[in-house]
């Protein structure tokens, strides 16, 4: 309530100051406040004016302090509107012109091509270059040689640009856009996860021919996980078979989010010339050699007038279902004005109920600029997005972060890179200001770190800056931290939740060919694991092999290739190891005694209980149901340690145990010989013995597999899946291609990509994502157990 009363008291001052700030300058400075003061105060004396300005500044600082207190004490009652209303007008002017967006989509939908056009039209680059490095230069955002050779994005790349758009009155408005281009391949999904974790909005790109594809659904799920508002851009309108209305329908049905087109294409395929803006009912043509000239006319092509009226009515009807203001106008059978429609689209988009659909062709240099205008019009600025943290000083109670420069600093390190100058750490500033030379505290390690250098990233280029305000993204040098660490000024005990990190699904044994390369190999592995949380490395304790794990074959192949190119280390790799699991299938009672006597005090431990399958295959449980004082707490704790140690390496294959419950309900001790170590060893022995009697079973990972290929290849693709005993869940047949959804064993999918390309003339593509564990076929289980036994005998 304190903040609400403060808002009412200062609403008039807010309005006047903001108006003056807009007209005075786009750059935050004292002159904006001075102009506002002159417009509000009757005094002409400079001293009195300065006094009034100082008083106003103190009021805003007081308001900021009260907002911070409420954000900490009772965040549920503090709305984003309250936060915006108490912003210093100069600060509001800056924040309202900032957009943090990501470009995300399925593989080969044109993400990097769109980003290249955005950079060209905003003046960040002077020439357009294509992906795959065909012109020996390559796209700006694909800075790695591997990316340019393969024509795919491997690492997300950050940049920033300024876009000048015309407002409704024809005046220029300059917006600052921080942009991250993300990979489309499922193997590099962590790059999308950590980008979306720190962004305020996104542009989801769809192919006008294929519409919603497998990775589009994955990206949609990631956007919903982080509550990211999105625009949808239907790209490749110049391709044969382009059908944007199919894409709009699939967004509604497959992604289950309300969508409506705000543009209608003028022509399709080779005749694609531009779009009709359904809100203003104007035709927008892209002209010039690279589409840099935008021509806007009120004259809509005659053959599109009826279609435009129909689609505009559909847009208003869709908004009426989502927005109260438009619903009221719609029920009164009135026509909403242009500002009302734009405001409703913005409200519905930010509240995650709606996605406006735009159309264009990045490769043909058409209709990218209207998409940039839509980013400014409909995606939120940093002050309009709710960001939460946890207060470690108050048992991790949730607190709301407030994007004011004057408040204590809070930032999140979301990505690490190794550069020529040391570790480069990407940071999103959520609250306060980050300055060069400032001391910050790592919330995880409680270590104080000095910020020696702050840069803004432009792909692999950088521009040094002295400070970064709330809501911005930057990179810093010389900060030792891990991905996902929170930094504060030391006064606040805040920590932020990190991004979701999927578990790796494929492993590979690896070693350098030459012993002399071992130091470089270790340096590379250390760097890769710091940069990529989905890339794991461990040494197998039995075989002493170095094993790397990742999200797929391509993921690991890229790192092996980077070892060779960047560190000049040639490696030998072994057959990828599937992460099998072990479980038992029936209940087994046990009564196990460990008894050793070797002169002096020996070992004695007796435990009684049973083992049984858990209700879910995802967890293991240890329970004690001991009555009386036969076993003390310390011995039961030792039993639990023995159980936890046993499930790490199962008796069948040496893989982790899943879905097993162990219950101890009785036991016996010896006054002299019993010890915690004896009970720990007794539990491990009882586990192995009971597990062998419980009809043990090998579990194999099943992958949620999505295959898209031309319709004429459907028979051969289904045949490939049947050979691998895949369970086909669903099939969708389109005019040109078809999509199969199936659950496949990971073990059977090695080498599948080359077979798929061969059977579809290189046109087929597939993606895999871990689904669940399932019992392995009996024959495979026999082979795996026999192989494991043979390896143990050979070792002995």
């Amino acid at each position: 309530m304190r903040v609400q009363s403060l808002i009412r008291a200062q609403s008039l001052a807010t309005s006047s100051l903001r108006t003056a700030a807009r007209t005075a300058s786009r750059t935050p400075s004292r002159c904006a406040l001075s102009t506002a003061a002159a417009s509000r105060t009757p005094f002409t004396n400079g001293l009195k004016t300065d006094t009034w300005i100082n008083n106003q500044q103190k009021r805003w600082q007081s308001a900021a302090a009260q907002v911070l207190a409420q954000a900490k004490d009772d965040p549920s009652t503090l709305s984003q509107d309250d936060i915006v209303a108490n912003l210093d007008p100069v600060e509001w002017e800056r924040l309202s012109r900032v957009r943090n967006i990501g470009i995300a989509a399925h593989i080969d939908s044109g993400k990097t091509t769109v980003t290249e056009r955005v950079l060209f039209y905003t003046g960040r680059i002077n020439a357009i270059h294509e992906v795959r490095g065909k012109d020996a230069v390559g796209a700006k955002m694909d800075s790695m040689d591997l990316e340019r050779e393969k024509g795919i994005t491997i690492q997300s790349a950050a940049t920033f640009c300024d876009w000048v758009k015309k407002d409704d009155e024809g005046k220029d408005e300059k917006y600052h856009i921080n942009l991250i281009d993300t990979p489309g391949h499922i193997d590099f999904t962590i790059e999308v996860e950590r980008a979306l974790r720190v962004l305020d909005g996104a542009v989801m790109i769809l192919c006008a021919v294929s519409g919603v594809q497998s990775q589009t659904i994955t990206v949609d799920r990631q956007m919903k996980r982080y509550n990211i508002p999105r625009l949808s851009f239907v790209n490749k309108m110049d391709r044969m078979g382009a059908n944007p209305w199919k894409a709009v329908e699939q967004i509604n049905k497959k992604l289950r989010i309300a969508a409506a087109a705000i543009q209608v294409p003028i022509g399709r395929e080779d005749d694609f010339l531009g779009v009709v803006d359904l809100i203003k009912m104007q035709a927008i043509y892209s002209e010039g050699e690279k589409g840099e000239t935008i021509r806007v006319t009120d004259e809509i092509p005659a053959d599109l007038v009826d279609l435009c009226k129909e689609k505009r009515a559909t847009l208003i009807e869709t908004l009426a279902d989502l927005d109260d203001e438009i619903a009221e106008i719609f029920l009164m059978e009135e026509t909403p004005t242009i500002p009302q429609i734009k405001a409703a689209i913005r409200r519905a988009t930010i509240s995650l109920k709606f996605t406006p659909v735009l159309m264009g062709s990045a490769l043909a240099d058409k209709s990218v600029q209207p998409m940039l205008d839509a980013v400014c019009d409909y995606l939120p600025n940093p002050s309009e997005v709710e960001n939460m943290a946890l207060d470690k000083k108050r048992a991790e109670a949730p607190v709301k972060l407030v994007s004011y420069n004057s408040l204590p600093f809070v930032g999140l390190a979301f990505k690490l890179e190794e550069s020529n100058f040391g570790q480069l750490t990407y940071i999103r500033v959520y609250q306060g200001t980050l300055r060069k030379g400032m001391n910050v505290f790592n919330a995880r390690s409680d270590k104080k770190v000095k910020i020696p250098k702050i840069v803004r990233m432009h792909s692999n280029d950088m521009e040094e800056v002295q400070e970064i305000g709330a809501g911005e993204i930057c990179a810093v040098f010389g900060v030792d931290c891990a991905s996902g660490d929170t930094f504060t000024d030391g006064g606040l005990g805040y920590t932020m939740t990190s991004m979701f990190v999927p578990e790796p699904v494929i492993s590979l044994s690896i070693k350098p060919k030459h012993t002399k390369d071992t130091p470089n190999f270790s340096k590379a592995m250390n760097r890769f694991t710091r940069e990529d949380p989905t890339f794991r490395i461990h040494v197998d304790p039995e075989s002493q092999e170095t094993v790397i794990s990742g999200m797929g074959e391509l993921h690991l192949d890229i790192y092996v290739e980077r070892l060779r190119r960047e560190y000049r280390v040639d490696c030998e790799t072994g057959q990828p190891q599937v992460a099998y699991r072990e479980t038992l299938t029936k209940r087994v009672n046990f009564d196990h005694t460990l008894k050793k006597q070797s002169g002096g005090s020996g070992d004695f431990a007796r435990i009684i209980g049973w083992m049984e399958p858990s209700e879910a295959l995802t967890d293991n449980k240890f329970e004690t149901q001991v009555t009386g004082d036969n076993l003390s707490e310390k011995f039961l704790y030792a039993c639990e340690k023995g159980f936890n140690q046993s499930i790490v390496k199962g008796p069948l294959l040496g893989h982790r145990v899943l879905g097993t419950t162990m219950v101890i309900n009785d036991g016996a001790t010896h006054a002299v010989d019993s010890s915690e170590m004896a009970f720990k060893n007794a539990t491990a022995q009882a586990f192995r013995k009971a597990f062998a009697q419980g009809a043990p079973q090998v579990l194999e990972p099943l992958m949620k597999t999505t295959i898209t290929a031309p319709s004429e290849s459907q028979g051969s693709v289904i045949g490939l899946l049947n050979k691998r005993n895949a369970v086909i869940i669903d099939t969708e047949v389109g005019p040109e291609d078809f999509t199969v959804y199936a659950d496949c064993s990971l073990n059977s999918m090695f080498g599948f990509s080359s077979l798929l390309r061969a059977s579809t003339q290189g046109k087929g593509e597939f993606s895999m994502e871990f689904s669940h564990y399932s019992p392995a076929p009996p024959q495979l289980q026999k082979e795996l157990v026999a192989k494991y036994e043979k390896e143990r005998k050979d070792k002995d």
Side-chain angles (χ1 to χ4, degrees), residues 72-297:
K72 186 175 180 180
D73 298 335
D74 194 5
S76 60
T77 62
L78 182 65
S79 71
Q80 293 304 124
D81 291 338
D82 294 342
I83 291 173
V84 171
N86 281 277
L87 264 172
D88 182 308
V90 176
E91 184 59 18
W92 162 255
E93 184 66 17
R94 179 187 72 85
L95 273 177
S96 66
R97 299 283 184 266
V98 173
R99 298 291 182 271
N100 296 315
I101 65 165
I103 307 285
H106 184 81
I107 313 150
D108 287 339
S109 292
K111 296 178 296 299
T112 305
T113 308
V114 168
T115 308
E116 189 80 358
R117 269 61 183 178
V118 168
L119 295 179
F120 178 72
Y121 295 138
T122 56
R124 289 294 293 161
I125 56 176
N126 299 320
I128 294 175
H129 300 287
E130 304 306 335
V131 296
R132 297 186 188 275
K134 293 175 184 175
D135 54 1
V137 178
K140 176 65 181 177
M141 303 300 274
D142 285 347
S143 55
M144 288 173 60
D145 290 339
L146 269 172
E147 291 179 315
R148 295 178 177 181
E149 285 175 21
K150 293 180 178 287
I152 61 171
T153 301
I154 294 169
Q155 289 185 333
S156 59
T159 188
F160 65 96
C161 55
D162 291 327
W163 175 243
V164 179
K165 72 176 282 287
K166 300 281 185 184
D167 65 10
D168 293 336
E169 298 172 2
K171 297 177 183 175
D172 286 348
E173 289 184 332
K174 187 176 182 181
Y175 286 82
H176 180 77
I177 299 174
N178 293 305
L179 188 150
I180 298 181
D181 177 30
T182 63
H185 204 287
I186 188 70
D187 283 25
F188 311 111
T189 189
I190 187 61
E191 295 289 335
V192 186
E193 290 281 349
R194 58 183 166 196
L196 293 179
R197 170 66 183 84
V198 297
L199 293 172
D200 302 323
V203 178
M204 185 171 69
I205 297 180
L206 299 98
C207 173
V209 178
S210 305
V212 171
Q213 296 167 274
S214 56
Q215 190 63 10
T216 317
I217 296 171
T218 303
V219 167
D220 169 71
R221 190 164 59 245
Q222 291 169 324
M223 289 181 182
K224 288 174 179 172
R225 181 181 294 135
Y226 299 111
N227 297 322
I228 301 294
R230 93 281 292 268
L231 303 178
S232 298
F233 181 71
V234 180
N235 192 26
K236 303 189 179 182
M237 282 299 301
D238 58 330
R239 270 188 62 187
M240 185 179 292
N243 182 3
W245 310 118
K246 168 191 166 187
V248 175
E249 183 184 357
Q250 288 181 334
I251 294 171
N252 279 286
K253 290 184 176 178
K254 289 188 176 181
L255 305 186
R256 296 180 182 177
I257 181 171
I262 61 172
Q263 293 175 345
V264 166
I266 301 173
R268 292 188 199 177
E269 301 177 0
D270 292 340
D271 299 324
F272 180 64
L273 301 174
V275 293
V276 175
D277 183 345
L278 292 178
I279 300 170
K280 296 180 179 178
M281 291 301 278
Q282 293 177 328
I284 304 172
Y285 295 93
S286 300
E287 298 176 346
E289 185 183 350
K290 292 293 182 183
E292 63 271 21
T293 305
I294 294 294
R295 181 168 63 88
V296 181
T297 174

Side-chain angles (χ1 to χ4, degrees), residues 611-653:
M611 280 173 56
E612 62 184 359
S614 299
E615 292 180 5
L617 269 179
T618 53
D619 54 357
N620 298 295
K621 283 200 305 184
F622 177 83
E623 294 181 22
T624 58
Q625 298 179 8
V626 178
T627 55
D629 55 355
N630 285 357
L631 294 178
S632 66
E633 280 292 328
K634 67 175 184 176
F635 291 151
L636 289 174
Y637 179 67
C639 291
E640 186 173 2
K641 285 176 71 176
F643 172 76
N644 290 332
Q645 185 178 325
S646 300
I647 62 175
V648 172
K649 196 169 184 181
L652 269 184
L653 302 177

Side-chain angles (χ1 to χ4, degrees), residues 454-466:
I454 304 174
V455 295
R456 285 186 183 276
M457 297 304 298
H458 179 42
S459 186
N460 57 336
D461 299 330
M462 53 193 73
E463 298 175 16
E464 188 169 354
V465 293
Q466 295 301 308

Side-chain angles (χ1 to χ4, degrees), residues 548-560:
I548 55 175
S549 304
M551 301 304 297
E553 287 178 275
L554 178 63
H555 189 207
L556 298 183
D557 286 348
I558 290 292
Y559 278 115
V560 172

Side-chain angles (χ1 to χ4, degrees), residues 487-515:
F487 289 96
T488 68
D489 67 340
L492 297 174
Y494 290 0
T495 181
M496 299 190 71
T497 54
S498 188
M499 67 288 295
F500 170 77
V501 179
E503 287 297 314
V505 295
I506 188 171
S507 299
L508 198 66
S509 62
I510 187 170
K511 65 177 181 180
K513 281 185 179 178
H514 309 291
T515 312

